[in-house]
């Protein structure tokens, strides 16, 4: 329950990040200095958006940056169109803006949602931005009164999601999968 309280409560203790109001976007915008760029780094503003008009090639570059397998652009476009909620994260530095994070959720629009495709550019990992991105998508799902939120996690990120309050099904239900050509 601590995660849910922190989601709707006060600060999460990220002292390196200053929350400021964001115009035209959802949630906070976060001003950070991106240490990955060296000593000449200038502060950038990180904003979140629910706009589905994402450049598919920019999204593909983001996914490439973390080593994900390529997916056909037409299918990615269709997945975005049919997603219940899409939350993207943008770095803004002056007039320059680039996609640095992304997540989406599918849903039955009433009870259940599943979060998919959570990705943060490697230059921005380790700064609490993945956690902030997850908080944004969960906040949007809870705003829609979705009470059962699930996701699938690769073994190397299970602890990241566990730290956000996700757990294996408490009733012990194991997911099952059907894949073509599995037999």
């Amino acid at each position: 329950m601590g995660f849910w309280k922190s989601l709707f409560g006060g600060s999460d203790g990220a002292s390196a990040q200053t929350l400021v109001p964001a115009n035209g976007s959802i949630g906070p915008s976060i001003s950070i200095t991106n240490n990955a760029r060296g000593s000449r780094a200038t502060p950038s503003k990180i904003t979140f958006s629910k706009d589905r008009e994402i450049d598919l090639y920019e999204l593909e570059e983001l996914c490439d940056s973390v080593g994900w397998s390529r997916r056909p652009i037409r299918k990615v476009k269709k997945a975005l169109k049919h997603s219940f909620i899409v939350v993207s994260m943008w770095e803004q530095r002056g007039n320059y803006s680039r996609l640095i994070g992304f997540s989406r959720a599918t849903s039955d629009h009433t009870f259940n949602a599943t979060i998919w495709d959570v990705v943060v550019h490697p230059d921005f990992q380790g700064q609490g931005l993945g956690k902030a991105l997850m908080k944004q998508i969960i906040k949007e799902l809870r705003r829609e009164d979705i009470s059962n939120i699930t996701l699938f996690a690769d073994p190397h990120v299970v602890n990241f999601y566990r730290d956000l309050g996700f757990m294996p099904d408490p009733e012990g239900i194991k997911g099952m999968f059907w894949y073509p050509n599995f037999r």
Side-chain angles (χ1 to χ4, degrees):
M1 242 344 141
F3 170 71
W4 295 107
K5 189 174 183 179
S6 73
L7 181 62
F8 299 104
S11 170
D12 64 359
S15 59
Q17 301 173 354
T18 306
L19 300 180
V20 294
N23 296 328
S25 60
I26 62 168
S29 77
I30 301 170
S31 297
I32 66 166
T33 300
N34 184 2
N35 296 330
R37 296 185 182 200
S39 61
R40 293 185 177 202
T42 57
S44 61
K45 187 167 107 176
I46 307 300
T47 59
F48 299 91
S49 173
K50 287 193 334 182
D51 186 1
R52 291 171 190 253
E53 295 300 317
I54 294 173
D55 182 308
L56 297 175
Y57 295 100
E58 193 171 6
L59 179 57
E60 183 175 40
E61 286 178 21
L62 175 61
C63 294
D64 283 346
S65 76
V66 296
W68 286 6
S69 298
R70 290 247 171 142
R71 300 180 288 187
I73 292 288
R74 66 179 171 72
K75 286 189 169 189
V76 173
K77 182 178 181 179
K78 189 174 183 179
L80 290 176
K81 179 182 175 186
H82 293 287
S83 292
F84 181 59
I85 292 175
V86 172
V87 176
S88 54
M89 186 168 55
W90 300 84
E91 175 195 33
Q92 294 181 325
R93 193 180 296 268
N95 291 333
Y96 173 74
S97 179
R98 76 170 174 152
L99 180 67
I100 62 164
F102 176 84
S103 62
R104 68 184 185 92
T106 55
S107 178
D108 63 8
H109 298 240
T110 307
F111 300 108
N112 305 293
T114 302
I115 297 174
W116 303 96
D117 301 334
V118 178
V119 60
V120 174
H121 193 282
D123 289 349
F124 294 86
Q125 293 177 5
Q127 301 178 55
L129 295 174
K131 181 179 180 180
L133 180 62
M134 286 297 296
K135 283 185 173 187
Q136 285 299 314
I137 196 160
I138 291 167
K139 184 184 264 185
E140 293 300 318
L141 291 167
R142 293 297 298 139
R143 186 175 287 144
E144 296 291 332
D145 201 27
I146 301 295
S147 57
N148 185 25
I149 302 171
T150 60
L151 57 77
F152 296 91
D154 290 332
H156 68 282
V157 293
V158 166
N159 287 334
F160 170 77
Y161 292 114
R162 186 172 280 135
D163 290 346
L164 290 171
F166 286 87
M167 66 183 99
D169 189 305
E171 296 176 14
I173 298 170
K174 302 290 182 192
M176 297 183 74
F177 303 87
W178 180 90
Y179 295 105
N181 301 323
F182 180 67
R183 295 173 165 204

